[in-house]
Amino acid sequence: MKTSIAILGAVAAAASASVIVPRQHGYGYGNPHGGSCSHKPLVDSKKLQDSIKEKALLKGSQTLQDIAYSYPERNRVMGSNGHNDTVKFLVKELEALGGYYTVEKQKFTNLIQTNGTATLTIGGAETEWGMMEYSPSGNVTSSLVVVNNLGCSPSDYPAALPGKIALISRGSCEFGLKSALAGAAGAVGALIYNNIPGGLAGTLGTPPRPEGDYIPTLGISQEKGRELVATLGNGTTVTASLNVRTVIELQTTENVIATSNCGAHNTTLMLGAHTDSVAAGPGINDDGSGTIGILEVAKQLAKYKANNAVRFGFWSGEESGLLGSTYYVEHLSAAERGNIRAYLNFDMIASPNYVHAIYDGDGSAFNLTGPAGSAEIEKFFQDFFTSHGQNFTATEFDGRSDYLGFIDAGIPAGGTFTGAEKLKTTEEAEMFGGHANVALDANYHSAGDTVDNLNATAFVLHTKAIAAAVAEYATSFASLPPRSVERRSVAATVGISRHRRGGRWGRPLRQ
Ligand SMILES: *[C@@H]1O[C@H](CO)[C@@H](O)[C@H](O)[C@H]1NC(C)=O
Ligand SMILES: *[C@@H]1O[C@H](CO)[C@@H](O)[C@H](O)[C@H]1NC(C)=O
Ligand SMILES: *[C@@H]1O[C@H](CO)[C@@H](O)[C@H](O)[C@H]1NC(C)=O
Ligand SMILES: *[C@@H]1O[C@H](CO)[C@@H](O)[C@H](O)[C@H]1NC(C)=O
Ligand SMILES: *[C@@H]1O[C@H](CO)[C@@H](O)[C@H](O)[C@H]1NC(C)=O
Ligand SMILES: *[C@@H]1O[C@H](CO)[C@@H](O)[C@H](O)[C@H]1NC(C)=O
Ligand SMILES: *[C@@H]1O[C@H](CO)[C@@H](O)[C@H](O)[C@H]1NC(C)=O
Ligand SMILES: *[C@@H]1O[C@H](CO)[C@@H](O)[C@H](O)[C@H]1NC(C)=O
């Protein structure tokens, strides 16, 4: 799962698509009448759930950890050897299932900021800064000049700017436009101050932009910005030193997409998990657990017939900004999008201090409803946990995982989650056991995210939940309301929420 906010004064992750590589495969209709599995028995929920074994899940997890540890970086970051070997492993496992699935690798390339750090001193004092992703590197020292209005028009940039550092308010237009216009006006650096209380970090957006090159740019707080505007307003000179070090490079990586040849392809059930880790560790709960969970269900499903096609998406680049799933959805035709009847996401399902959380499809917990059908999917998982004698709770569609592209496209979504960096509440400890005031996954995004730190009880139960959902929807979608074809109605809901939540949303702030 992606980090929730760009970190102030530290490395900011994330990126967005830049180079569009033409898609080589269509994800089209296939055989609508069942194909190669017609001699097999129809998938059965109890049998499919019973086929999920702890031993197989832990063995798969160990394989991913061994892959990470066979390289000095000991991780599975997008573009790395550890990630590439993960892709190879998945393709091999899926292709060994007697042709049950059509397995495709979907390659894409992004310009990624893979590292970033900075120092900032203003008037000789070290000052808190926020990364503006895609800022070029540079070490500049000069006096500050206040930019008029919001710096969205070339005329806002004063004649005194050449060789100086521009001080610009956030607001009205993209950070990237402000940086490019400041550069075009001759500034050697830019500081963008927040227009709401607190610090500011975000992204300039993938270069290039038509207004010109970016200049070294950082974010600062509203409080600091206002103080500087007041000081400069009475004629005082203030000198700033801004030293930004970023590494920005093109990276190529692959999603793995496996679609059952049997079942109706115009009512496809899609499931997804991400295959990349962060740099800090092997990423065995995040998201080795989801990867192995859906892989194991894919393997067991191959023994059965399905009425509806089932497709498994193994996403790359999730930790860098949901890149693989976003690329996949954006490169579907309208007809292909319409064929995906529902999307189920599994990102961290074996957290050591777990909760049984279900995406809040009906909006009852977080006032953010998924596309029509999401409420019914949430209800399905609630009934699952109830039938297994367990409590459940809700988790928000906060944009921190790969369902985002799907709900933006109006595709009903759901799934389960066992928790990341948030502390377990006292109430959750009563409902699920474990330890209150301890992170749900104390090893989130760290070197300790290993096989030894998985909770196998949660892992098995959530993988059975995947199996139950696959059995249900591979048989019939009758429990879901008609698929909404209105993309905009859903995008509008999400748009409101994204705006409301500002930096908490999964993608970095752009303006
Ligand atoms: C990122 O940059 C810092 C500071 O320049 C450096 O110490 C660190 O090794 C870099 N990390 C990576 C993964 O390149
Ligand atoms: C940045 O530039 C200043 C002088 O402008 C210099 O003193 C300082 O050492 C430089 N820092 C780095 C890391 O190069
Ligand atoms: C200018 O403003 C700063 C900060 O508000 C203040 O400390 C300083 O005394 C002012 N100087 C003059 C000449 O007004
Ligand atoms: C990983 O695979 C991609 C192609 O998908 C390739 O461009 C990249 O160089 C590979 N990484 C390494 C470290 O070999
Ligand atoms: C899917 O295709 C089948 C056979 O071509 C057709 O009978 C059915 O109505 C289609 N379903 C949807 C939801 O389009
Ligand atoms: C729920 O969100 C909508 C906007 O999406 C808002 O109008 C409404 O007031 C919110 N309700 C609550 C209880 O927060
Ligand atoms: C469910 O939660 C209640 C507290 O709300 C608790 O008493 C009960 O033991 C929990 N059930 C299970 C199976 O953990
Ligand atoms: C997983 O959680 C259960 C229930 O809280 C606990 O009994 C078990 O010891 C945990 N297992 C591991 C490996 O942490």
Side-chain angles (χ1 to χ4, degrees), residues 79-81 84 107 252-254:
S80 70
N81 282 310
N84 287 2
K107 194 173 275 206
T252 300
T253 188
E254 285 168 329

Side-chain angles (χ1 to χ4, degrees), residues 119 138-142 241-243 245:
T119 54
N139 179 17
V140 296
T141 298
S142 191
S241 292
L242 189 156
N243 186 6
R245 291 288 141 208

Side-chain angles (χ1 to χ4, degrees), residues 29 32-33 264 266-267 339:
Y29 282 86
H33 299 298
N266 60 355
T267 47
N339 288 341

